[in-house]
């Protein structure tokens, strides 16, 4: 499975969780149910503060608590694609992604 994740806030995941941390999500946030399905070896594509899909990572570890999921990974590529083009190209569906707009609260979308 693949995951498109939002890091427009430029959150320093490695600073919070240690080396290799690439994304975290709390249970109450949009996309948590999708991210619960993540497995080692899956790909994560990260949207940066410029709204570009800047990085692709392979998940190498997943840490779960009762309220949070933290993904760790190795960088595979730098797609450097404006996220609406990426969403269209990959046919990603999410109620928080509509008409090339990222609606408030978008965090994660799973896609194949």
């Amino acid at each position: 499975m693949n995951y498109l994740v939002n890091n427009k806030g430029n959150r320093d995941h490695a600073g919070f969780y240690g080396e290799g941390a690439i994304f975290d999500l709390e249970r109450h946030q949009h996309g948590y149910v999708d991210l619960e399905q993540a497995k080692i070896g899956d790909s994560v594509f990260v949207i940066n503060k410029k709204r570009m899909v800047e990085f692709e990572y392979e998940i190498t570890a997943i840490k779960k608590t009762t309220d949070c999921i933290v993904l760790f990974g190795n960088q595979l590529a730098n797609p450097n694609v404006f996220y609406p083009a990426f969403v269209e190209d990959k046919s990603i569906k999410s109620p928080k992604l509509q008409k090339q707009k990222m609606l408030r609260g978008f965090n994660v979308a799973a896609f194949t």
Side-chain angles (χ1 to χ4, degrees), residues 10-21:
N10 203 29
R11 184 168 166 84
D12 179 12
H13 297 95
F16 288 110
Y17 300 106
E19 185 176 340

Side-chain angles (χ1 to χ4, degrees), residues 60-105:
T60 58
I62 302 169
K63 293 189 179 177
K64 295 181 181 180
T65 68
T66 56
D67 295 321
C68 185
I69 297 171
V70 182
L71 303 179
F72 294 79
N74 290 324
Q75 186 177 336
L76 297 176
N78 292 83
N80 207 31
V81 176
F82 190 47
Y83 89 87
F86 186 86
V87 167
E88 185 175 330
D89 182 56
K90 303 293 185 186
S91 300
I92 299 171
K93 304 291 184 216
S94 169
K96 297 287 185 176
L97 295 171
Q98 296 177 357
K99 297 181 184 178
Q100 297 194 349
K101 290 185 180 180
M102 185 185 307
L103 301 181
R104 187 174 187 203

